[in-house]
Amino acid sequence: MGYTSKRNLPKLQLLQNFAVRVVLGLRKFDYISQGRRSLRWLDVTEKVLFNDLVLAFKCVNGLAPDYLVKYFVKRSAVHNRNTRECKSSAVPRCRLSTGQRAFYYWGPTEWNGLAENIKNMKEINGFKKTLFKNMFYKK
């Protein structure tokens, strides 16, 4: 989940659901998901993923601070074997789940899971639009 702890996400989701009810005038037992889609809002977990992938895009393209950019190293820079994954980012080893929630592990992992056409974009606004469409319409 990136930097947001998993304990806070259900609370944030409840708050977002309440906001949807207020904005659309829905009652207590009305469905929220159709209302959220009509507002074109991602749910909280998808929004956290979206923000983390935008930060990963900035890291890959050198738009982020150096202390974050250093986590996105190509596998071809780590070893010289020609494999299918040589153009993707190297993911560090983490034994504990605590380390796997950190951006240095989670960012490259999620970045490698993106489609190639999204990863190859060079403009940040186009990347955000394409990523949002990909996340919003995949359901």
Side-chain angles (χ1 to χ4, degrees):
M1 288 288 112
Y3 345 104
T4 307
S5 71
K6 290 184 179 183
R7 285 182 285 170
N8 292 335
L9 290 180
K11 294 174 187 174
L12 291 173
Q13 188 63 56
L14 289 173
L15 185 65
Q16 186 188 44
N17 292 348
F18 180 73
V20 169
R21 289 185 205 286
V22 169
V23 169
L24 296 178
L26 299 176
R27 289 176 291 178
K28 184 175 182 178
F29 295 108
D30 291 340
Y31 288 109
I32 293 295
S33 56
Q34 289 90 6
R36 189 174 52 238
R37 289 184 64 76
S38 70
L39 292 172
R40 295 184 49 87
W41 289 359
L42 296 172
D43 67 357
V44 173
T45 56
E46 291 173 334
K47 183 64 176 166
V48 169
L49 175 63
F50 178 82
N51 289 339
D52 285 346
L53 287 172
V54 168
L55 183 60
F57 174 84
K58 290 179 181 180
C59 291
V60 168
N61 291 308
L63 302 172
D66 291 335
Y67 70 92
L68 292 175
V69 171
K70 71 178 180 179
Y71 295 129
F72 287 83
V73 178
K74 298 269 187 212
R75 288 187 184 174
S76 59
V78 175
H79 60 77
N80 59 2
R81 293 182 294 268
N82 189 12
T83 62
R84 280 177 274 173
E85 303 288 325
C86 67
K87 293 183 180 178
S88 62
S89 295
V91 179
R93 291 186 181 175
C94 286
R95 293 183 306 133
L96 303 175
S97 63
T98 307
Q100 292 176 357
R101 288 192 299 263
F103 183 72
Y104 75 90
Y105 177 85
W106 196 75
T109 303
E110 290 298 323
W111 179 257
N112 291 340
L114 284 177
E116 287 297 320
N117 64 333
I118 297 174
K119 286 196 286 189
N120 293 333
M121 299 188 84
K122 296 297 178 195
E123 189 176 307
I124 192 162
N125 290 331
F127 174 79
K128 286 180 181 180
K129 286 179 185 177
T130 307
L131 182 63
F132 180 81
K133 286 179 185 176
N134 189 29
M135 292 176 79
F136 191 74
Y137 292 116
K138 74 175 180 180
K139 295 178 182 178

